[in-house]
Amino acid sequence: MASFTLTDLGNKSGEVVEAAFRGPVDITKRGKRKFVLLTAEQFDRLAGRSAQRAHRIEDLSAEEREELLAALDAVARDDDRDD
């Protein structure tokens, strides 16, 4: 795991962020680990949250529902042409 000091975080923020894209990064102060920097996706995985969300069609506005149904119809029509 990459490790940077709090001073590094201020002075080399780009390098710290790049390291965080590769994996969690320890942030230390006076040699002791104080924070861990990670991407939102990594955090969501650790917290048991998924980036994917399910919604009920009943919860959509009428406009959103019509757009979704029209898009599904277009996909279905396109699939019918492949047969």
Side-chain angles (χ1 to χ4, degrees):
M1 180 183 305
S3 182
F4 293 89
T5 67
L6 276 173
T7 302
D8 292 336
L9 184 59
N11 295 336
K12 303 176 185 178
S13 60
E15 187 178 334
V16 175
V17 168
E18 282 299 314
F21 278 118
R22 292 188 297 275
V25 174
D26 279 337
I27 305 296
T28 63
K29 182 176 180 180
R30 295 189 180 119
K32 294 184 181 179
R33 189 169 92 162
K34 295 294 181 180
F35 304 97
V36 177
L37 179 66
L38 38 109
T39 65
E41 183 179 306
Q42 292 166 338
F43 175 80
D44 287 343
R45 252 195 329 271
L46 286 173
R49 294 187 275 188
S50 172
Q52 297 177 348
R53 295 202 165 63
H55 299 278
R56 297 174 358 145
I57 196 162
E58 296 86 10
D59 296 336
L60 298 175
S61 70
E63 183 179 326
E64 291 169 326
R65 192 169 31 254
E66 290 302 318
E67 287 178 21
L68 177 61
L69 292 174
L72 290 172
D73 284 342
V75 169
R77 282 192 305 273
D78 198 42
D79 283 348
D80 289 342
R81 290 186 199 145
D82 292 339
D83 291 342

